[in-house]
Amino acid sequence: AFKPSISNMFSEEDAKGTIQQMIQFIEQEAKERAKDIMEKARQEYQIESEKLISAAKEKIRNEYKDKMEKYSIQKRIENSGASNQTRIKKMAIRNDQILSILDIAKVNMNKLFTENPNKYKQILKQLILQVLVKLLENDLYVRCRKSDEKVIKEIIPDVEKEYEALIRREVPQIKDPTVKLEIYTKSYLPEFTPPESNAPGCCGGIELITKNRKIVCTNTVDMRLELIFQEALPEIRRVLFPSFEKQFNWETSFCKSKIKKK
């Protein structure tokens, strides 16, 4: 019987054609597979790029936001500091103007006493009597300005008599109402000095000192003026600066502290 063989079924040309078709098919399949891989890789690259770009943009936005917030905070701090400095300067100027009233009062008071020595003499008597009634001591030193020493010597006898009469009348329980006053010559109160000199000065008045020097009671004209000034400070501020009438209460303390320093 006849047995077909490959050589009988396909010619050499047919074999070549078939092989060529297989090669083309494999190449086409490889190209399509490579195209798919490349497309998938491009898509993945695009996605990753977008993620990286988005993350970078977000990072930049956050950094910019942080910088803007820090800048804003810094500007607010600077503006607040500048505003506070301006406000403090205004307050200092206002307080200096208010304190100048006290300086003017002291100058006028010194002028009044200089021009009216008899009036000043009567004021000195009252200042000494006030302290005597407060201390109720029988033997005291009187400390005064050197320029007032002569006047004090003149009024001491009258003050001693007035004090004795006052105590006998008002406090009869005290057995010995007499008092002996002596001028303290080891040191004197400072003389009056113009405010612009910034030197310690005194418009007048006295200090009474116990003989053991443990108690010193001051009753100077300056002290009286400062007490009156402190009490009148709210009204003075209201009159001079009506728009600042409701300003912070510590302005008063600020003025009082400056008075004490003087």
Side-chain angles (χ1 to χ4, degrees):
F2 177 75
K3 295 181 179 180
S5 64
I6 294 176
S7 60
N8 293 329
M9 293 177 64
F10 297 99
S11 64
E12 186 176 347
E13 290 294 329
D14 290 338
K16 287 182 178 179
T18 300
I19 292 170
Q20 189 64 35
Q21 287 178 356
M22 291 176 67
I23 291 170
Q24 289 176 352
F25 177 78
I26 292 169
E27 287 179 348
Q28 184 64 28
E29 187 72 18
K31 287 179 180 179
E32 290 178 357
R33 181 63 178 167
K35 184 178 179 182
D36 290 341
I37 293 171
M38 290 297 293
E39 181 63 23
K40 186 176 181 181
R42 187 189 66 78
Q43 291 177 356
E44 290 178 354
Y45 171 79
Q46 187 68 25
I47 292 171
E48 289 300 319
S49 296
E50 289 177 357
K51 286 182 179 179
L52 291 173
I53 292 171
S54 178
K57 287 181 178 179
E58 185 66 22
K59 182 180 179 182
I60 293 171
R61 279 194 294 267
N62 289 335
E63 289 177 353
Y64 179 76
K65 183 180 179 181
D66 291 341
K67 288 181 179 179
M68 287 302 296
E69 287 179 354
K70 290 179 180 178
Y71 176 77
S72 178
I73 292 170
Q74 184 63 30
K75 289 300 292 183
R76 286 200 296 270
I77 293 172
E78 290 175 1
N79 292 337
S80 176
S83 177
N84 286 337
Q85 288 298 319
T86 302
R87 182 170 166 274
I88 290 170
K89 286 180 181 179
K90 287 181 179 179
M91 287 176 57
I93 292 171
R94 291 203 305 273
N95 285 326
D96 287 342
Q97 291 176 336
I98 291 172
L99 289 172
S100 68
I101 294 174
L102 180 60
D103 292 334
I104 293 170
K106 289 180 179 180
V107 171
N108 291 338
M109 190 66 72
N110 183 71
K111 182 180 178 182
L112 175 66
F113 294 156
T114 303
E115 295 174 353
N116 299 273
N118 289 331
K119 188 175 185 66
Y120 179 52
K121 184 184 291 187
Q122 292 303 315
I123 290 175
L124 283 174
K125 280 185 179 181
Q126 295 302 314
L127 291 174
I128 295 173
L129 279 171
Q130 286 174 356
V131 182
L132 287 174
V133 171
K134 183 176 181 180
L135 294 178
L136 294 175
E137 294 283 338
N138 300 107
D139 204 356
L140 292 162
Y141 288 117
V142 181
R143 185 169 179 250
C144 62
R145 299 185 302 180
K146 181 67 175 175
S147 58
D148 293 336
E149 187 174 6
K150 183 179 178 181
V151 180
I152 296 294
K153 283 181 179 179
E154 291 176 3
I155 65 174
I156 279 179
D158 292 338
V159 172
E160 290 174 343
K161 290 176 182 178
E162 287 185 32
Y163 171 76
E164 183 178 350
L166 177 65
I167 296 301
R168 287 187 187 279
R169 183 176 66 252
E170 301 295 335
V171 195
Q173 298 88 345
I174 295 179
K175 294 180 180 180
D176 184 9
T178 61
V179 64
K180 182 181 178 183
L181 299 175
E182 179 184 348
I183 294 179
Y184 190 76
T185 57
K186 291 185 177 180
S187 66
Y188 293 90
L189 294 177
E191 299 292 333
F192 174 78
T193 56
E196 59 270 17
S197 68
N198 291 321
C202 180
C203 293
I206 51 87
E207 284 182 349
L208 291 192
I209 308 169
T210 57
K211 285 301 178 86
N212 60 12
R213 297 175 183 78
K214 290 184 177 180
I215 300 175
V216 177
C217 189
T218 303
N219 202 15
T220 61
V221 175
D222 302 73
M223 186 191 76
R224 290 292 180 175
L225 281 174
E226 287 166 7
L227 287 173
I228 294 170
F229 178 79
Q230 290 177 13
E231 291 176 1
L233 192 56
E235 182 65 17
I236 293 171
R237 188 172 59 242
R238 187 189 67 79
V239 172
L240 290 180
F241 308 102
S243 60
F244 296 99
E245 182 180 355
K246 295 183 179 180
Q247 272 287 1
F248 298 103
N249 293 330
W250 60 271
E251 288 185 37
T252 303
S253 300
F254 181 82
C255 283
K256 289 181 180 179
S257 66
K258 292 201 72 173
I259 292 170
K260 290 177 181 178
K261 288 179 182 178
K262 287 191 173 186

